[in-house]
Amino acid sequence: MSEFTTYEYVVSQKMEGKWKLKKLGMLLLYVAFVIAWFIFGFVSKMFPLLALIPVTLWMLVFFTWRYVKVEYEYSMESGDMTISNIYGGKSRKKVVEFKIKECSLIAPVSTHDFKARDYEPEKIFKALSSEKAADAYFALFEQDGKRCIAYFEATEKALKICKYYNSSATVVSKVKV
């Protein structure tokens, strides 16, 4: 039982799909910001203000770039699973927490996706590096009277913990160690 006390796993969001677009959009924002500063400096003829461009650009990048460098962490502790987003390796935001024993199904996405669609979740939580992640699993549960689904990348240890706390609802398949 002591091996099931706590477990954490982190995956980085891969730059694909909408994440590539977000990164490109952020880069375009930075370029537009510099151009706007130049236009403002030349139109107002306050050329010394142009010296502020590097500092303000650095501040803008410092406070916004983290939102396109997302990592997902799920942790399991004493039968509770918590999913958090980590932005730029600096700030963490807890997304959801639920009891593993209250899940109606914990299964691999590849073989049980039809059950997830039939479940018609009202809330969706993701801790996947990619939509095509090889070891993608989902957990179906209810929270505050709403049907929820949590996607996560499973490992052997995570599945052992899920099996320990909810053996009847957990489907175990071969995953990474």
Side-chain angles (χ1 to χ4, degrees):
M1 180 127 117
S2 63
E3 68 177 292
F4 297 125
T5 54
T6 184
Y7 178 71
E8 294 178 353
Y9 189 71
V10 178
V11 293
S12 297
Q13 175 63 52
K14 291 183 180 171
M15 285 298 139
E16 61 186 25
K18 73 176 184 176
W19 290 98
K20 261 188 180 176
L21 291 175
K22 285 182 178 185
K23 194 173 189 178
L24 179 65
M26 203 62 79
L27 292 171
L28 291 175
L29 170 74
Y30 302 150
V31 170
F33 180 78
V34 171
I35 290 170
W37 257 110
F38 272 114
I39 291 171
F40 175 74
F42 283 111
V43 169
S44 67
K45 299 196 187 314
M46 298 170 96
F47 300 112
L49 283 179
L50 297 178
L52 294 175
I53 291 175
V55 173
T56 56
L57 179 62
W58 175 83
M59 288 176 19
L60 181 65
V61 170
F62 180 78
F63 288 112
T64 59
W65 188 250
R66 71 181 72 183
Y67 295 107
V68 294
K69 287 190 68 178
V70 180
E71 295 176 318
Y72 303 106
E73 174 192 68
Y74 68 86
S75 58
M76 298 175 173
E77 186 171 353
S78 301
D80 292 340
M81 183 173 191
T82 305
I83 295 177
S84 303
N85 293 347
I86 303 170
Y87 298 103
K90 294 181 177 121
S91 58
R92 174 186 315 266
K93 180 183 176 195
K94 184 168 109 176
V95 177
V96 68
E97 183 173 1
F98 59 92
K99 297 213 174 290
I100 296 170
K101 69 179 178 182
E102 294 176 358
C103 292
S104 58
L105 180 62
I106 301 170
V109 171
S110 59
T111 57
H112 291 81
D113 193 35
F114 62 93
K115 288 186 180 177
R117 283 194 304 264
D118 291 344
Y119 186 70
E120 296 179 4
E122 298 169 67
K123 288 187 176 183
I124 299 172
F125 307 101
K126 291 188 179 181
L128 294 173
S129 62
S130 169
E131 296 290 327
K132 304 168 198 150
D135 296 326
Y137 261 68
F138 64 87
L140 305 177
F141 61 97
E142 285 196 19
Q143 192 172 60
D144 300 327
K146 294 185 179 181
R147 290 182 310 275
C148 304
I149 187 168
Y151 291 97
F152 62 99
E153 287 189 37
T155 62
E156 277 185 22
K157 187 162 184 179
L159 290 178
K160 282 181 183 178
I161 294 170
C162 290
K163 191 78 170 163
Y164 179 80
Y165 285 105
N166 193 345
S167 61
S168 63
T170 303
V171 177
V172 178
S173 65
K174 183 81 171 145
V175 294
K176 60 185 155 200
V177 177

